[in-house]
Amino acid sequence: MRRYKGSKYNYFQTNDRGELLIMNMRTEGKVKVTGEEAEAVKELLDNSVKEIDETKECYNQLIKKGMFVREEEDEVKLLMLKQNEMIYGTDTLSVTIMPTNDCDFRCSYCYENHMEDYMDEETEERVLLFLGKKIARCKQLRLGWFGGEALLCKERVLRMSKKINEMCRRYRVPIYGEISTNGYNLDVDTFKELVRNHITEFQICIDGPKQCHNQTRPHCTDKDSYTRIIENLKNIRDNVKMGMFKIALRTNITPGVRPYLDEHIEEMKRLFGDDHRFMLSFQCVRDWGGDNIQQDMIVDDERTEYIDTYKTVNEVGMSSAGKLSFAPIVGNCTACRKNGYLIDFKGELHKCSLAYHNKEHRDVDTIGYINEMGDEVVDESKLATWIVNNDDISKGCYDCVLFPYCMGGHCPYSRNITKTKTCNKYILSNVSEHVVEQDKEGKIPYWN
Ligand code: SF4
Ligand code: SF4
């Protein structure tokens, strides 16, 4: 027998059969408890110290999943340790490449200044030299493609992805690759080539049904980009047999898009609902900067929007929040990492695309550059502004069930630079849907 207490970070949710679903936010461990046992288990997992018989399988499971912690264990310190490893460790190399600032869309809420800036051959060589040196010293690569619209320079993206993949193979470094694209130029061949080179996570925005999308996300010359994007996605659905990719179809929610969401979700379910490689995600539009955003594009209450939207998704049975990750510290942006870089078309090193496009913050965001030898030249004082947390975490955060994910403010731009940090409690509605969806998919085992 040893003395244990319930973790601060157990999230409780009841399913429609009255069963208790528990997810520990520090370990992502999950269990399910029958309705009859629910109250007793909740009490068992409160913060008081109890003698627990570890040899009993049911208790052992709760211990292994971090739902019970030893009396003397300080979960906040354990999380801080992990966070420091994330910030200062060099095992993970996180690189997002923006090969162009240009884009063929003019989305109504976009914060970017679209210029016809494209990466050239010499910069490509420098970036690859830099990556070769960094990959040789890391244990995993997180690679992202971003823009502008990265696929406006499709050949460069494919060529560089292939070379990066070869380097990673040479050093036996796994790649976790992703791309944010408007999907307009994502034909099947391009898609397959990206997946072959481990770019397996795709984020494509579709803002509602055809008319709504075409109005909110207008293409520069094509009045109906919706049809082409949907055709591209259907071709991928029907012609790509590989299973190891994920396409998140993201809808940016504005008050204008809101009335069409149910229709949109039904249509996405009809087209992609039977294919587990597709999922829906949602993001309420915010004032991300730039001159385009208008106050009437911002919803009054984000949390309510997510609750309502995920409820509809759940009802139609489309894959969504269940595929989100709530792994601890993952919510912290890679701009927090010392080994995290946003590389622009000139080979400059940056931290955050919002700061990059903001005139006032562009300078602090430009933390350095890659020289002709492929070495980084970094201004340490700017780097410190980003990664050293100079904001006191409020006491309430330590006891917040979201703390393992949010760590009291996951965005270093708002925390350290604009000083506009806000609480992220709205994420709770996503956690709630995540747990419910995982349960529906049979992924949560009974505790005994
Ligand atoms: S706004 Fe914040 S969370 Fe987003 S990329 Fe910039 S630093 Fe990261
Ligand atoms: S900022 Fe809000 S959501 Fe994040 S840990 Fe603090 S109280 Fe929780």
Side-chain angles (χ1 to χ4, degrees):
M1 298 276 257
R2 273 175 99 164
R3 288 162 70 81
Y4 283 88
K5 59 190 176 189
S7 161
K8 285 174 195 271
Y9 304 121
N10 289 330
Y11 175 79
F12 299 98
Q13 167 83 36
T14 308
N15 70 12
D16 51 15
R17 292 189 304 282
E19 294 170 318
L20 183 67
L21 311 173
I22 312 171
M23 166 154 115
N24 185 270
M25 298 295 292
R26 190 171 64 83
T27 64
E28 274 198 300
K30 300 179 188 82
V31 291
K32 179 158 56 171
V33 174
T34 60
E36 297 81 64
E37 297 167 312
E39 272 317 305
V41 172
K42 254 189 171 173
E43 215 169 288
L44 192 65
L45 288 174
D46 70 16
N47 209 235
S48 62
V49 176
K50 302 159 188 82
E51 297 273 344
I52 295 292
D53 181 356
E54 298 153 315
T55 59
K56 284 198 170 158
E57 178 48 32
C58 57
Y59 295 143
N60 196 268
Q61 210 186 132
L62 299 180
I63 293 166
K64 276 196 199 135
K65 293 186 173 176
M67 292 167 187
F68 266 138
V69 289
R70 286 205 310 275
E71 179 186 15
E72 67 282 6
E73 217 155 43
D74 184 333
E75 292 180 278
V76 171
K77 288 218 169 101
L78 290 173
L79 285 162
M80 294 294 204
L81 179 66
K82 248 186 180 295
Q83 190 188 33
N84 281 328
E85 280 167 12
M86 186 279 280
I87 296 172
Y88 301 109
T90 50
D91 283 358
T92 300
L93 171 65
S94 288
V95 173
T96 300
I97 307 175
M98 301 191 297
T100 181
N101 278 333
D102 200 4
C103 186
D104 45 353
F105 280 59
R106 290 292 178 269
C107 303
S108 49
Y109 40 73
C110 185
Y111 58 87
E112 297 189 8
N113 317 304
H114 297 304
M115 311 285 276
E116 289 185 21
D117 300 323
Y118 285 83
M119 189 177 278
D120 61 19
E121 310 300 306
E122 183 273 327
T123 308
E124 176 180 326
E125 283 307 313
R126 253 187 310 137
V127 172
L128 288 171
L129 263 177
F130 166 76
L131 289 176
K133 294 183 185 193
K134 297 290 279 187
I135 288 168
R137 297 196 298 266
C138 78
K139 296 206 175 119
Q140 63 166 310
L141 170 66
R142 300 211 162 253
L143 173 66
W145 287 104
F146 197 69
E149 168 53 38
L151 291 183
L152 286 182
C153 9
K154 199 186 275 187
E155 280 175 23
R156 193 173 304 284
V157 169
L158 294 179
R159 186 172 57 241
M160 288 179 80
S161 296
K162 191 164 178 225
K163 288 187 178 167
I164 294 167
N165 185 23
E166 283 163 6
M167 289 176 204
C168 285
R169 260 222 305 263
R170 193 173 324 133
Y171 295 108
R172 298 192 181 171
V173 169
I175 310 178
Y176 302 93
E178 60 182 30
I179 183 165
S180 293
T181 166
N182 55 40
Y184 193 74
N185 297 304
L186 191 61
D187 55 80
V188 170
D189 289 343
T190 304
F191 184 85
K192 282 184 179 167
E193 187 61 13
L194 285 167
V195 173
R196 266 197 285 275
N197 288 300
H198 301 280
I199 311 298
T200 54
E201 299 214 354
F202 295 76
Q203 178 169 269
I204 298 167
C205 293
I206 304 180
D207 286 357
K210 190 196 278 195
Q211 271 168 317
C212 185
H213 172 93
N214 285 338
Q215 196 180 356
T216 312
R217 295 178 60 82
H219 185 270
C220 289
T221 54
D222 182 350
K223 286 197 171 63
D224 181 18
S225 63
Y226 178 90
T227 299
R228 173 150 157 180
I229 296 166
I230 295 292
E231 280 309 310
N232 283 345
L233 291 170
K234 278 162 52 183
N235 283 335
I236 290 166
R237 179 196 66 189
D238 298 337
N239 298 305
V240 183
K241 299 292 166 233
M242 299 176 276
M244 65 301 183
F245 63 82
K246 182 169 93 182
I247 299 184
L249 303 173
R250 165 170 153 167
T251 302
N252 297 292
I253 304 177
T254 63
V257 169
R258 186 73 193 84
Y260 303 99
L261 271 181
D262 289 4
E263 183 191 334
H264 170 62
I265 292 167
E266 292 278 354
E267 179 66 354
M268 292 301 106
K269 163 73 181 165
R270 189 182 70 77
L271 293 172
F272 307 112
D274 295 330
D275 192 325
H276 69 278
R277 303 169 301 180
F278 290 79
M279 65 170 281
L280 297 184
S281 76
F282 302 92
Q283 174 63 56
C284 291
V285 166
R286 297 180 184 159
D287 184 354
W288 289 305
D291 301 328
N292 298 331
I293 189 79
Q294 306 289 328
Q295 209 47 42
D296 63 3
M297 292 177 192
I298 298 171
V299 297
D300 290 337
D301 178 3
E302 272 199 38
R303 192 165 173 197
T304 310
E305 294 300 332
Y306 293 127
I307 291 172
D308 291 351
T309 310
Y310 282 119
K311 189 165 167 278
T312 314
V313 176
N314 217 311
E315 277 163 10
V316 302
M318 177 92 192
S319 189
S320 185
K323 286 206 165 64
L324 298 175
S325 168
F326 291 98
I329 323 288
V330 164
N332 283 219
C333 167
T334 54
C336 295
R337 289 180 191 268
K338 186 166 185 235
N339 220 16
Y341 305 89
L342 178 70
I343 303 177
D344 79 352
F345 71 102
K346 286 189 282 188
E348 280 181 1
L349 299 172
H350 296 267
K351 278 289 176 191
C352 158
S353 75
L354 264 65
Y356 178 89
H357 286 285
N358 182 298
K359 286 188 200 95
E360 196 186 333
H361 303 131
R362 180 70 175 264
D363 181 57
V364 69
D365 183 61
T366 312
I367 59 159
Y369 61 94
I370 300 169
N371 69 17
E372 55 286 355
M373 308 293 289
D375 293 317
E376 61 190 300
V377 180
V378 168
D379 180 329
E380 293 220 315
S381 95
K382 287 185 188 172
L383 178 66
T385 308
W386 283 90
I387 68 172
V388 178
N389 188 0
N390 57 17
D391 181 66
D392 288 339
I393 295 177
S394 67
K395 272 210 158 101
C397 288
Y398 295 125
D399 290 330
C400 166
V401 72
L402 285 174
F403 184 67
Y405 182 76
C406 160
M407 298 302 289
H410 64 293
C411 165
Y413 186 39
S414 63
R415 197 179 58 211
N416 291 359
I417 296 178
T418 61
K419 313 276 181 199
T420 53
K421 187 180 95 171
T422 50
C423 175
N424 295 311
K425 278 263 167 67
Y426 73 91
I427 295 170
L428 275 178
S429 45
N430 303 7
V431 176
S432 158
E433 283 311 319
H434 171 80
V435 175
V436 168
E437 206 177 301
Q438 290 252 313
D439 179 41
K440 278 194 175 163
E441 289 171 9
K443 291 184 179 155
I444 306 188
Y446 284 101
W447 79 305
N448 62 15

PDB file of all heavy atoms in Angstrom, residues 136-149:
ATOM      1  N   ALA A 136      21.656  16.454 -38.811  1.00  0.00           N
ATOM      2  CA  ALA A 136      22.697  15.530 -38.331  1.00  0.00           C
ATOM      3  C   ALA A 136      22.766  15.518 -36.805  1.00  0.00           C
ATOM      4  O   ALA A 136      23.261  14.577 -36.200  1.00  0.00           O
ATOM      5  CB  ALA A 136      24.048  15.953 -38.919  1.00  0.00           C
ATOM      6  N   ARG A 137      22.251  16.569 -36.169  1.00  0.00           N
ATOM      7  CA  ARG A 137      22.376  16.659 -34.706  1.00  0.00           C
ATOM      8  C   ARG A 137      21.041  16.518 -33.968  1.00  0.00           C
ATOM      9  O   ARG A 137      20.971  16.782 -32.772  1.00  0.00           O
ATOM     10  CB  ARG A 137      23.010  18.013 -34.332  1.00  0.00           C
ATOM     11  CG  ARG A 137      24.435  18.185 -34.862  1.00  0.00           C
ATOM     12  CD  ARG A 137      25.152  19.313 -34.157  1.00  0.00           C
ATOM     13  NE  ARG A 137      24.499  20.595 -34.364  1.00  0.00           N
ATOM     14  CZ  ARG A 137      24.824  21.457 -35.313  1.00  0.00           C
ATOM     15  NH1 ARG A 137      25.811  21.173 -36.125  1.00  0.00           N
ATOM     16  NH2 ARG A 137      24.193  22.602 -35.427  1.00  0.00           N
ATOM     17  N   CYS A 138      19.976  16.156 -34.685  1.00  0.00           N
ATOM     18  CA  CYS A 138      18.698  16.056 -33.960  1.00  0.00           C
ATOM     19  C   CYS A 138      18.164  14.626 -34.011  1.00  0.00           C
ATOM     20  O   CYS A 138      18.695  13.777 -34.728  1.00  0.00           O
ATOM     21  CB  CYS A 138      17.683  17.047 -34.530  1.00  0.00           C
ATOM     22  SG  CYS A 138      16.937  16.514 -36.080  1.00  0.00           S
ATOM     23  N   LYS A 139      17.102  14.386 -33.243  1.00  0.00           N
ATOM     24  CA  LYS A 139      16.531  13.025 -33.220  1.00  0.00           C
ATOM     25  C   LYS A 139      15.201  12.948 -33.953  1.00  0.00           C
ATOM     26  O   LYS A 139      14.704  11.874 -34.233  1.00  0.00           O
ATOM     27  CB  LYS A 139      16.351  12.569 -31.775  1.00  0.00           C
ATOM     28  CG  LYS A 139      17.683  12.439 -31.051  1.00  0.00           C
ATOM     29  CD  LYS A 139      17.598  11.441 -29.920  1.00  0.00           C
ATOM     30  CE  LYS A 139      18.952  11.228 -29.293  1.00  0.00           C
ATOM     31  NZ  LYS A 139      18.975  11.590 -27.895  1.00  0.00           N
ATOM     32  N   GLN A 140      14.573  14.085 -34.188  1.00  0.00           N
ATOM     33  CA  GLN A 140      13.373  14.087 -35.029  1.00  0.00           C
ATOM     34  C   GLN A 140      13.196  15.464 -35.654  1.00  0.00           C
ATOM     35  O   GLN A 140      13.602  16.476 -35.078  1.00  0.00           O
ATOM     36  CB  GLN A 140      12.121  13.685 -34.246  1.00  0.00           C
ATOM     37  CG  GLN A 140      11.747  14.610 -33.132  1.00  0.00           C
ATOM     38  CD  GLN A 140      10.315  14.341 -32.645  1.00  0.00           C
ATOM     39  OE1 GLN A 140       9.389  14.268 -33.431  1.00  0.00           O
ATOM     40  NE2 GLN A 140      10.146  14.198 -31.336  1.00  0.00           N
ATOM     41  N   LEU A 141      12.620  15.447 -36.842  1.00  0.00           N
ATOM     42  CA  LEU A 141      12.383  16.709 -37.552  1.00  0.00           C
ATOM     43  C   LEU A 141      10.892  16.940 -37.663  1.00  0.00           C
ATOM     44  O   LEU A 141      10.149  16.071 -38.121  1.00  0.00           O
ATOM     45  CB  LEU A 141      12.990  16.651 -38.957  1.00  0.00           C
ATOM     46  CG  LEU A 141      12.610  17.814 -39.883  1.00  0.00           C
ATOM     47  CD1 LEU A 141      13.188  19.141 -39.375  1.00  0.00           C
ATOM     48  CD2 LEU A 141      13.093  17.557 -41.314  1.00  0.00           C
ATOM     49  N   ARG A 142      10.455  18.104 -37.240  1.00  0.00           N
ATOM     50  CA  ARG A 142       9.078  18.545 -37.501  1.00  0.00           C
ATOM     51  C   ARG A 142       9.166  19.593 -38.589  1.00  0.00           C
ATOM     52  O   ARG A 142       9.718  20.670 -38.375  1.00  0.00           O
ATOM     53  CB  ARG A 142       8.436  19.116 -36.239  1.00  0.00           C
ATOM     54  CG  ARG A 142       8.392  18.087 -35.134  1.00  0.00           C
ATOM     55  CD  ARG A 142       7.216  18.239 -34.180  1.00  0.00           C
ATOM     56  NE  ARG A 142       7.054  16.984 -33.462  1.00  0.00           N
ATOM     57  CZ  ARG A 142       6.088  16.115 -33.675  1.00  0.00           C
ATOM     58  NH1 ARG A 142       5.174  16.358 -34.581  1.00  0.00           N
ATOM     59  NH2 ARG A 142       6.014  15.001 -32.987  1.00  0.00           N
ATOM     60  N   LEU A 143       8.670  19.236 -39.759  1.00  0.00           N
ATOM     61  CA  LEU A 143       8.825  20.103 -40.925  1.00  0.00           C
ATOM     62  C   LEU A 143       7.459  20.624 -41.371  1.00  0.00           C
ATOM     63  O   LEU A 143       6.516  19.855 -41.518  1.00  0.00           O
ATOM     64  CB  LEU A 143       9.458  19.300 -42.071  1.00  0.00           C
ATOM     65  CG  LEU A 143       9.553  20.000 -43.427  1.00  0.00           C
ATOM     66  CD1 LEU A 143      10.512  21.197 -43.374  1.00  0.00           C
ATOM     67  CD2 LEU A 143      10.032  19.014 -44.500  1.00  0.00           C
ATOM     68  N   GLY A 144       7.362  21.926 -41.564  1.00  0.00           N
ATOM     69  CA  GLY A 144       6.098  22.495 -42.046  1.00  0.00           C
ATOM     70  C   GLY A 144       6.331  23.330 -43.292  1.00  0.00           C
ATOM     71  O   GLY A 144       7.386  23.954 -43.459  1.00  0.00           O
ATOM     72  N   TRP A 145       5.360  23.328 -44.186  1.00  0.00           N
ATOM     73  CA  TRP A 145       5.367  24.230 -45.355  1.00  0.00           C
ATOM     74  C   TRP A 145       4.229  25.216 -45.181  1.00  0.00           C
ATOM     75  O   TRP A 145       3.097  24.824 -44.877  1.00  0.00           O
ATOM     76  CB  TRP A 145       5.183  23.433 -46.656  1.00  0.00           C
ATOM     77  CG  TRP A 145       6.395  22.650 -47.039  1.00  0.00           C
ATOM     78  CD1 TRP A 145       6.580  21.305 -46.907  1.00  0.00           C
ATOM     79  CD2 TRP A 145       7.609  23.161 -47.620  1.00  0.00           C
ATOM     80  NE1 TRP A 145       7.832  20.948 -47.363  1.00  0.00           N
ATOM     81  CE2 TRP A 145       8.476  22.066 -47.802  1.00  0.00           C
ATOM     82  CE3 TRP A 145       8.049  24.441 -47.994  1.00  0.00           C
ATOM     83  CZ2 TRP A 145       9.756  22.200 -48.350  1.00  0.00           C
ATOM     84  CZ3 TRP A 145       9.317  24.581 -48.534  1.00  0.00           C
ATOM     85  CH2 TRP A 145      10.157  23.467 -48.710  1.00  0.00           C
ATOM     86  N   PHE A 146       4.563  26.493 -45.371  1.00  0.00           N
ATOM     87  CA  PHE A 146       3.583  27.556 -45.121  1.00  0.00           C
ATOM     88  C   PHE A 146       3.839  28.654 -46.134  1.00  0.00           C
ATOM     89  O   PHE A 146       4.810  28.636 -46.877  1.00  0.00           O
ATOM     90  CB  PHE A 146       3.789  28.053 -43.662  1.00  0.00           C
ATOM     91  CG  PHE A 146       2.651  28.833 -43.090  1.00  0.00           C
ATOM     92  CD1 PHE A 146       1.445  28.222 -42.795  1.00  0.00           C
ATOM     93  CD2 PHE A 146       2.785  30.199 -42.798  1.00  0.00           C
ATOM     94  CE1 PHE A 146       0.389  28.952 -42.256  1.00  0.00           C
ATOM     95  CE2 PHE A 146       1.740  30.928 -42.257  1.00  0.00           C
ATOM     96  CZ  PHE A 146       0.542  30.295 -41.985  1.00  0.00           C
ATOM     97  N   GLY A 147       3.011  29.668 -46.183  1.00  0.00           N
ATOM     98  CA  GLY A 147       3.225  30.765 -47.129  1.00  0.00           C
ATOM     99  C   GLY A 147       2.777  32.070 -46.544  1.00  0.00           C
ATOM    100  O   GLY A 147       2.802  32.238 -45.322  1.00  0.00           O
ATOM    101  N   GLY A 148       2.231  32.949 -47.379  1.00  0.00           N
ATOM    102  CA  GLY A 148       1.738  32.795 -48.733  1.00  0.00           C
ATOM    103  C   GLY A 148       1.117  31.413 -48.998  1.00  0.00           C
ATOM    104  O   GLY A 148       0.655  30.752 -48.101  1.00  0.00           O
ATOM    105  N   GLU A 149       1.111  31.080 -50.260  1.00  0.00           N
ATOM    106  CA  GLU A 149       0.649  29.755 -50.655  1.00  0.00           C
ATOM    107  C   GLU A 149       1.865  28.967 -51.155  1.00  0.00           C
ATOM    108  O   GLU A 149       2.393  29.244 -52.241  1.00  0.00           O
ATOM    109  CB  GLU A 149      -0.439  29.878 -51.731  1.00  0.00           C
ATOM    110  CG  GLU A 149      -0.790  28.579 -52.423  1.00  0.00           C
ATOM    111  CD  GLU A 149      -1.152  27.437 -51.459  1.00  0.00           C
ATOM    112  OE1 GLU A 149      -1.811  27.687 -50.433  1.00  0.00           O
ATOM    113  OE2 GLU A 149      -0.761  26.293 -51.738  1.00  0.00           O
TER     114      GLU A 149
END
